[in-house]
Amino acid sequence: MNAMQFILVILVALVCGMASVMDERQFHRPIVACTLIGLVLGDLHTGIILGGQLELIALGWMNVGAAMAPDSALASTISAIIVIVGHQSIGEGMAIAIPLAAAGQVLTIFVRTIAVFFQHQADHFAAQANFRGIEWCHIGALFLQGLRVAIPTGAVAAIAGTSIVSQWLNDIPPVVTHGLQVSGGFIVVVGYAMVINMMKARSLMPFFFIGFILATFVSGMNLVGLGILGACAAVVYVQLNPDFHDSIKAPAAATSAGTDDDDVLG
Amino acid sequence: MTESTELKKVQPLTKRDIISTYFRSTFMLGSFNFERMQAIGVCVTMIPAIKRFYHKKEDQAAALKRHLEFFNTTPWPASAIFGVTAAMEQKKAEGGDIDEAAITNVKIGLMGPLAGIGDPIFWGTARTILAALGASLALSGSILGPLLFFFGINIVRMLTRWYGFQVGYRQGTDIVQDVAGNRLKKLTQMASVLGLFVMGSLVSKWTNIKMPLTLAHYKDQAGHLVTTTLQSTLDSLLPGLVALLMTFACMWLLKHKVNAIWIIFGMFAVGILGYWAGIFGL
């Protein structure tokens, strides 16, 4: 890794860290972050594949309400560096990504606590109608979130090419690395469970099972096909649902039921 | 809100104000903190409107203070709330019959319902499905995967923010009826059906559980040696059953407020112990 690459890696990590708290432009998602690190380090191909693998694991990770997702930014940047610069396998990269996601979560909790200070500072500026002051409070807290990822990533980038890292990774007993790869096959369900719980739609669970059964028994159907089927199911469900037809709910107006199909796609 | 005759003329937001508000809103969560969550971001987003509507220092200070109160909702559709809030601020600046509490109440009142719509549509369905599609392409090393995800989700985001603000600003408090009404409920239900459908298929398609543990050996009538493994036994019942059960276990744990990261570590422990004991294989 040359000096230019080192700087670019830190810049990418800074952007990912800021994106991680904002959840806006999605630079913190593994599929984007790993790709960018791969691009910067001159191994785009590996970055994309690792990003895809990690994205599967992180699929349902989301910030809902006050609950925070495991941090995909730190996990993506560091594991991409370890895999590309430290010459490790994709499987190894996935295994180390999870503890990193936990570490990243702890760090963001720390920064979000510090940001309370900025909040009070902003109150201060508001009393004086100081617009600039409030804006700087905002930017300051945002920048800290960027540093939260950039500093650890920079530290790893500095030592990733040395034998310390490979030594350390080689010292992990094979039963652990293989076991981690085994769990990589089913750790995705945590994300799926987060999505299902968030939907809060128990009455719609039959659609979950229909999707499961179709994917299990109809071989050769890819994700696009399943997505189109799901979209059709969604439209038909809403069209037939009596909740959305006032005319059916009110028995007196039942005769006009046929004309009432204002669909949202229109 | 009755129109009184002595209304001042206040200049509405200009195109530049709206663009500036949009740009600021895309940094909304930057200073997320545990005390008032998205508050500073909301205030920073409202600054162009506050500057446009209020010119006296104490009015500006009061408005800034109003928008530094607790706020937390799904970020992208929150732009609609900013639109409504801007419309109310404008009315207030004109000397309309709106007090501070009304503005705060509408903001707080829209937060919950909007998250109820926004979380399933944007996090549960749009991002999940685009990410799943992108990842399935990326696994073969195709740059199309990241590009599809990144541009797809950002187009959704920008349209939501840009038009959300406009609709909110134009309709003002009338939007409250929209949020409570059938159209958005329909959209949410459709997103939930699609999201759950895809989740179901992913549980089957994108989990990889191999259980080579041998249960029995026997010779069939033709004399071939047949090995029954845990995998083959479960597959004859329902392929993917273990993944399905694991999903339900995770849902149960999450419902009981177990942090996702602990569940993930628990899964690692299961994987390592299972591999060590020979139940799971690669």
Side-chain angles (χ1 to χ4, degrees):
Chain A
M1 195 186 302
N2 58 39
M4 191 62 203
Q5 285 178 321
F6 187 73
I7 292 167
L8 286 173
V9 161
I10 290 186
L11 276 180
V12 169
L14 199 67
V15 168
C16 294
M18 296 196 278
S20 170
V21 67
M22 291 195 289
D23 224 342
E24 188 79 21
R25 295 171 183 80
Q26 310 298 315
F27 282 108
H28 65 297
R29 300 298 299 180
I31 192 170
V32 182
C34 291
T35 304
L36 287 176
I37 293 282
L39 182 69
V40 164
L41 292 178
D43 191 351
L44 187 61
H45 188 74
T46 307
I48 293 171
I49 294 177
L50 179 67
Q53 291 282 5
L54 290 180
E55 187 64 47
L56 290 189
I57 295 180
L59 201 62
W61 293 3
M62 57 185 136
N63 302 304
V64 167
M68 262 175 313
D71 181 53
S72 59
L74 192 68
S76 306
T77 53
I78 292 187
S79 54
I81 291 170
I82 298 259
V83 167
I84 294 170
V85 181
H87 303 291
Q88 299 296 321
S89 68
I90 300 273
E92 205 97 39
M94 288 165 66
I96 57 168
I98 304 299
L100 286 169
Q105 194 181 19
V106 171
L107 285 175
T108 191
I109 289 174
F110 181 63
V111 176
R112 285 168 197 222
T113 311
I114 293 179
V116 173
F117 163 78
F118 289 90
Q119 179 76 57
H120 288 273
Q121 215 50 39
D123 288 345
H124 220 69
F125 290 126
Q128 307 159 356
N130 182 345
F131 295 100
R132 262 296 124 75
I134 297 175
E135 284 160 7
W136 278 112
C137 286
H138 193 54
I139 295 165
L142 178 60
F143 191 66
L144 277 187
Q145 286 283 3
L147 288 182
R148 161 187 82 85
V149 174
I151 292 172
T153 305
V156 171
I159 59 160
T162 65
S163 55
I164 306 167
V165 175
S166 50
Q167 189 79 51
W168 178 71
L169 286 169
N170 289 339
D171 282 347
I172 303 173
V175 68
V176 173
T177 44
H178 288 149
L180 289 176
Q181 279 171 37
V182 165
S183 28
F186 53 74
I187 216 124
V188 288
V189 301
V190 182
Y192 302 160
M194 286 167 88
V195 174
I196 297 165
N197 274 0
M198 185 273 290
M199 297 281 198
K200 291 196 192 80
R202 276 193 98 119
S203 61
L204 299 180
M205 278 308 274
F207 291 101
F208 171 82
F209 289 103
I210 295 172
F212 176 80
I213 294 297
L214 281 176
T216 304
F217 290 104
V218 183
S219 55
M221 175 125 59
N222 70 5
L223 209 57
V224 177
L226 285 162
I228 292 173
L229 258 181
C232 293
V235 172
V236 172
Y237 174 78
V238 167
Q239 279 174 353
L240 297 182
N241 192 338
D243 281 355
F244 299 122
H245 294 276
D246 296 336
S247 46
I248 293 180
K249 270 200 289 191
T255 44
S256 68
T259 60
D260 180 19
D261 58 352
D262 55 319
D263 59 7
V264 289
L265 293 177
Chain B
M1 277 157 267
T2 47
E3 298 272 316
S4 75
T5 43
E6 60 223 280
L7 286 187
K8 281 181 282 177
K9 195 80 196 118
V10 170
Q11 202 200 347
L13 293 180
T14 62
K15 190 94 188 166
R16 257 191 86 185
D17 294 334
I18 291 175
I19 291 170
S20 171
T21 306
Y22 165 81
F23 180 71
R24 286 157 182 265
S25 74
T26 64
F27 293 90
M28 172 184 168
L29 262 66
S31 54
F32 190 102
N33 65 76
F34 286 128
E35 189 183 289
R36 276 172 266 163
M37 307 217 165
Q38 307 166 348
I40 307 179
V42 173
C43 188
V44 169
T45 306
M46 293 304 296
I47 282 179
I50 294 171
K51 276 185 178 162
R52 178 66 58 203
F53 301 146
Y54 299 105
H55 303 289
K56 270 190 278 171
K57 209 163 176 144
E58 55 275 22
D59 289 345
Q60 291 180 340
L64 288 173
K65 185 167 177 284
R66 261 200 297 287
H67 295 298
L68 276 174
E69 279 169 31
F70 178 91
F71 193 83
N72 193 28
T73 188
T74 315
W76 305 346
S79 279
I81 302 186
F82 300 148
V84 181
T85 316
M88 291 181 81
E89 288 289 359
Q90 188 178 338
K91 272 233 170 82
K92 183 171 163 54
E94 283 167 352
D97 185 17
I98 291 184
D99 60 354
E100 293 206 342
I103 297 176
T104 304
N105 286 343
V106 167
K107 257 169 73 187
I108 303 284
L110 282 173
M111 244 164 48
L114 211 66
I117 296 165
D119 287 341
I121 292 180
F122 297 104
W123 294 160
T125 308
R127 184 171 76 184
T128 314
I129 290 176
L130 279 168
L133 269 177
S136 67
L137 291 170
L139 292 181
S140 59
S142 164
I143 185 73
L144 267 179
L147 291 180
L148 175 84
F149 169 74
F150 184 72
F151 287 105
I153 198 66
N154 273 299
I155 288 168
V156 171
R157 171 183 70 83
M158 293 194 287
L159 291 177
T160 307
R161 279 224 186 269
W162 180 253
Y163 288 105
F165 184 81
Q166 314 259 332
V167 170
Y169 185 52
R170 234 174 288 128
Q171 297 197 4
T173 40
D174 292 347
I175 205 176
V176 176
Q177 261 141 24
D178 266 8
V179 171
N182 260 353
R183 260 179 63 185
L184 284 175
K185 209 176 135 206
K186 260 188 189 175
L187 202 62
T188 313
Q189 290 248 302
M190 282 176 37
S192 299
V193 169
L194 175 58
L196 287 172
F197 188 95
V198 171
M199 278 306 118
S201 49
L202 289 185
V203 167
S204 160
K205 263 191 152 22
W206 278 359
T207 51
N208 184 13
I209 303 172
K210 292 199 186 73
M211 290 179 292
L213 182 71
T214 307
L215 295 180
H217 294 285
Y218 63 94
K219 278 208 166 81
D220 67 4
Q221 283 159 339
H224 299 297
L225 186 71
V226 177
T227 311
T228 324
T229 64
L230 188 55
Q231 179 89 52
S232 64
T233 311
L234 289 172
D235 277 355
S236 64
L237 193 63
L238 175 67
L241 180 66
V242 179
L244 197 61
L245 293 177
M246 281 181 172
T247 309
F248 289 141
C250 288
M251 285 165 62
W252 186 84
L253 287 169
L254 288 167
K255 261 195 194 121
H256 288 78
K257 305 274 173 234
V258 181
N259 189 334
I261 208 88
W262 290 117
I263 304 177
I264 290 171
F265 277 120
M267 290 242 161
F268 270 159
V270 169
I272 292 168
L273 290 175
Y275 180 77
W276 176 75
I279 300 170
F280 292 119
L282 273 171

